[in-house]
Amino acid sequence: ATKNGSNLSMKIYDWKRRTADESALHEEEFTLGNLRPAPGARRRKNRKGRGIAAGQGATCGFGMRGQKSRAGRPTRPGFEGGQQPLYRRLPKFVGRPTGPGHEKEIF
C-alpha cells in the first residue's frame, strides 16, 4: 500500500510510436521549432468508402436514406428547412453609410 503524499506518476504512452521514449517529454523548453501535439491528441483520418471490412464502407456512416445521405451538398447555404431564412426576413440593406463623402461624427 502507498501512504498519502507519495510520488505517483502516470506514464504517457504514445500509441502511434510504441517504442517511443516519453521520459524526456517535458524536459526541453517549448519553442516554435519543436512544437508538436501531445501523444494521442491527433487521430488518423478515417478513410470512408473502402469496403465493409474497413469499418466505414457501404453507407460510410451516413445511414441508408435521407437528404444527408445523398450525393452533393445537403442544402444550400442559408436554408433553414422551409422556414423563412434570415436573409429574407430582414429588410434590404440600402445606402452606403461609410462610402465616399461620408463624414463620421465622433461623440
Side-chain angles (χ1 to χ4, degrees):
T2 60
K3 50 187 174 172
N4 275 346
S6 64
N7 292 338
L8 292 176
S9 64
M10 293 178 56
K11 179 169 174 22
I12 299 174
Y13 195 78
D14 190 352
W15 293 100
K16 299 290 182 239
R17 302 178 297 139
R18 292 177 185 262
T19 60
D21 180 26
E22 303 295 342
S23 60
L25 187 65
H26 298 290
E27 290 179 1
E28 58 183 333
E29 185 177 342
F30 288 122
T31 61
L32 289 178
N34 64 2
L35 283 180
R36 67 173 186 260
R42 308 243 332 171
R43 295 190 61 178
R44 295 182 78 173
K45 177 176 162 265
N46 203 352
R47 297 181 70 225
K48 294 180 179 284
R50 295 295 183 265
I52 58 170
Q56 284 287 335
T59 58
C60 306
F62 290 107
M64 298 290 283
R65 300 176 301 278
Q67 189 175 18
K68 291 182 181 176
S69 69
R70 313 292 184 200
R73 190 174 174 93
T75 54
R76 66 174 186 273
F79 185 69
E80 298 183 17
Q83 173 178 303
Q84 193 73 266
L86 183 68
Y87 71 93
R88 296 204 49 199
R89 276 179 269 161
L90 300 177
K92 288 184 180 179
F93 181 73
V94 292
R96 301 182 63 191
T98 57
H102 178 264
E103 293 179 1
K104 184 183 256 185
E105 293 184 22
I106 300 175
F107 296 102

